[in-house]
Amino acid sequence: MVKYKGKTVYNGIAIGPAAVLKKEDRKVRREKIQDPGQEMDRVREAVKKAREQLQQLYDRALASAGEASAAIFEVHQMMLEDEDYLEAIENMIKKERVNAEYAAAVTGDNFARMFADMDDEYMKARSADVKDISNRLIQCLTGGEGESFDFKEPCILVADDLSPSETVQMDKDKILAFVTVHGSANSHTAILARMMNIPALVGVPADLNGIRPGSRVIVDGMRGEVIFDPDEAECRLAQERLEKEEEKLRLLQELKGKENITRSGKKIRVYANIGGPGDVGYALENDAEGIGLFRSEFLYLGRNDFPSEEEQFQAYRQVLQTMGEKKVIVRTLDIGADKQADYFNLGKEENPALGYRAIRICLKQPDIFKTQLRALLRASICGNLSIMYPMITSAAEVKKIFEILEEAKKELEEARLDCRVPEQGIMIETPAAVMIADELAQLVDFFSIGTNDLTQYTLAIDRQNEKLDDFYDPHHPAVLRMIRMAAESAHKYGKWAGICGELGADLDLTEEFVKMGIDELSVSPSMILPLRKRIRELA
Ligand code: PEP
Ligand code: MG
């Protein structure tokens, strides 16, 4: 039995078998082989296995995100069976007498480079697909679980680190909890875990080589503790805590259908944060009054090319229709920093959090932005949509956004496609936006305060840097004063102000937020009912 402490990301308890994800294991070695025929049999077997995995991914994506999103896995299946690609692997095995993994890796690199060097933008973007396919093939050859996250049984995932794009690919029903050696509690991977109600710990100094796949693990988010190979007594105690936790959750269910209202009659809207259509179920199950933050960039992650206008339209429509008359606030693309997708070709930056990200990409590459805006304007007629823009620092940015939106609307009207310009707001997540909130409030319909980035930029602390987690203090008076300033500016011009950063779910601050006159709190679905309980207790 080994116990470790870590940083809690989500407060639940889980008991289950370990699945170990070791990324360094995927480095491929060159080995001499005797029998090329046998090596080719291995390739054929791996292709078959990869094809089955892709079919499963296709089926799952079809069910959760629709035909357009699933199509990429169909394309991968076709590329996997490309004759030139397989012939190149075979030639290398035969001529150089090397192992299949090495031949697949080198061929994959060569093909990816060939695509990357092409002039056509579409073909260039296929380079990432080729890499993805080769990685899958290598993974099937080595027999590892790899990044497919295709676990047969629900398990506790133990890894060095997980990126947001890996996390979005996980089948939420198969992950009981996750534990990572690295990672900050403020990262988007952590936010995803909270959104998915998955108990999670980061910064756990475990040695992955010492963990037997399938061995029992207890993850206790409440205590910030993980136990590998627990004895019977520990298991019994954890089981008791789990049952108590379930009982608490059952009691919270009684709050369903009740209002978010203080004892003195002040109402606050409590909305949910989601990452895609697949999360709407959690929001509704937890009685969300609306969606306060749909992080649309997650539609762009875990894939190899930009989602088309049609794909995005379908995703937004699905969420809007499922939510009915309830408000859905879609935040436009906030890619960059820790949320990376290869096909954006963003390049390496010294300071990515201060770099080319979010609205800056959208304003510099308006074609990408316009595709999203067109999809949103079209989807707007399907429900109660609001659009929100991230990382705003100036009034000029907002004015430029409105110009691009106007162009998108004109294009749609010329194409005779139904559309509507909905309510539009901005995120207040930079100190600059707070300082000019008076001016910004006159341009937009609402503010949503992003306390995660506002804390990062106010305190000059990289939210991704795990070494700085002790210094990252969203309760800092500077941050709280900024929230108050932003809310006051919004109200001065008759606009509403909400909080969609993680601080909105901090029950120790609920009273203060109510006193500030915050109109809406948007939190991960699992925090809706605890927040309702807290609001109803307030005088
Ligand atoms: C924030 O910064 O508070 C926010 C809600 O956006 P994200 O966490 O996605 O950066
Ligand atoms: Mg942010």
Side-chain angles (χ1 to χ4, degrees), residues 331 334 429 453 463:
R331 173 176 75 186
D334 185 9
E429 52 184 343
D453 278 320
R463 65 194 262 198

Side-chain angles (χ1 to χ4, degrees), residues 156-375:
I156 292 180
L157 182 64
V158 190
D160 275 317
D161 204 353
L162 289 169
S163 70
S165 70
E166 285 167 331
T167 315
V168 288
Q169 291 178 66
M170 289 177 186
D171 178 350
K172 297 165 198 176
D173 296 331
K174 295 278 172 62
I175 308 282
L176 298 169
F178 61 74
V179 172
T180 62
V181 178
H182 300 289
S184 158
N186 310 303
S187 67
H188 283 92
T189 297
I191 289 172
L192 275 166
R194 284 192 281 270
M195 226 143 64
M196 290 150 65
N197 289 3
I198 294 181
L201 288 182
V202 298
V204 174
D207 172 12
L208 297 195
N209 292 318
I211 301 165
R212 233 176 343 103
S215 61
R216 190 142 51 167
V217 187
I218 297 173
V219 175
D220 187 336
M222 243 104 48
R223 298 181 169 196
E225 190 174 86
V226 53
I227 311 175
F228 294 103
D229 283 319
D231 58 25
E232 281 311 313
E234 283 288 2
C235 286
R236 232 184 357 264
L237 286 173
Q239 189 59 37
E240 279 168 18
R241 288 200 299 276
L242 186 67
E243 280 163 20
K244 264 200 202 132
E245 201 38 39
E246 282 170 357
E247 178 55 23
K248 248 200 246 162
L249 291 177
R250 254 195 303 281
L251 286 174
L252 279 175
Q253 299 303 308
E254 290 172 11
L255 288 173
K256 277 194 183 168
K258 302 229 164 104
E259 281 188 307
N260 301 305
I261 188 166
T262 64
R263 295 213 310 262
S264 57
K266 171 120 181 68
K267 282 190 198 166
I268 315 249
R269 302 195 295 275
V270 178
Y271 289 176
N273 292 347
I274 63 163
D279 299 329
V280 178
Y282 299 124
L284 289 175
E285 261 168 45
N286 287 285
D287 216 12
E289 283 179 273
I291 302 295
L293 169 63
F294 175 166
R295 286 183 165 93
S296 70
E297 59 277 7
F298 289 144
L299 298 177
Y300 293 69
L301 298 183
R303 49 182 295 144
N304 302 309
D305 201 358
F306 294 96
S308 65
E309 177 184 324
E310 191 56 30
E311 265 176 86
Q312 292 193 57
F313 167 68
Q314 297 293 351
Y316 304 139
R317 186 174 68 169
Q318 195 180 334
V319 175
L320 284 160
Q321 287 182 339
T322 315
M323 291 303 290
E325 289 175 1
K326 293 180 173 172
K327 165 90 41 214
V328 175
I329 304 176
V330 178
R331 173 176 75 186
T332 58
L333 181 64
D334 185 9
I335 207 107
D338 61 326
K339 289 174 282 195
Q340 292 287 340
D342 284 352
Y343 61 87
F344 271 84
N345 288 319
L346 294 180
K348 198 162 161 40
E349 290 181 295
E350 285 295 319
N351 290 303
L354 304 180
Y356 191 50
R357 56 171 293 198
I359 204 69
R360 297 167 187 178
I361 297 177
C362 291
L363 294 176
K364 281 270 182 203
Q365 292 175 260
D367 286 351
I368 296 176
F369 194 29
K370 239 197 260 174
T371 303
Q372 178 169 40
L373 291 175
R374 285 168 57 107

Side-chain angles (χ1 to χ4, degrees), residues 109-168:
D109 282 351
N110 289 343
F111 272 61
R113 208 169 310 120
M114 195 169 77
F115 277 102
D117 289 344
M118 290 181 182
D119 289 332
D120 184 283
E121 285 304 315
Y122 177 82
M123 296 311 272
K124 256 189 204 309
R126 301 281 71 76
S127 167
D129 288 293
V130 176
K131 273 193 218 152
D132 216 35
I133 291 160
S134 305
N135 285 341
R136 184 175 296 283
L137 191 61
I138 295 164
Q139 193 191 100
C140 290
L141 280 162
T142 50
E145 290 279 14
E147 282 156 331
S148 72
F149 301 108
D150 267 339
F151 303 113
K152 303 233 164 4
E153 303 290 338
C155 63
I156 292 180
L157 182 64
V158 190
D160 275 317
D161 204 353
L162 289 169
S163 70
S165 70
E166 285 167 331
T167 315
V168 288

Side-chain angles (χ1 to χ4, degrees), residues 514-529:
V514 172
K515 283 187 184 154
M516 285 181 194
I518 294 291
D519 303 279
E520 173 246 25
L521 292 167
S522 190
V523 299
S524 65
S526 62
M527 282 309 292
I528 291 174
L529 294 175

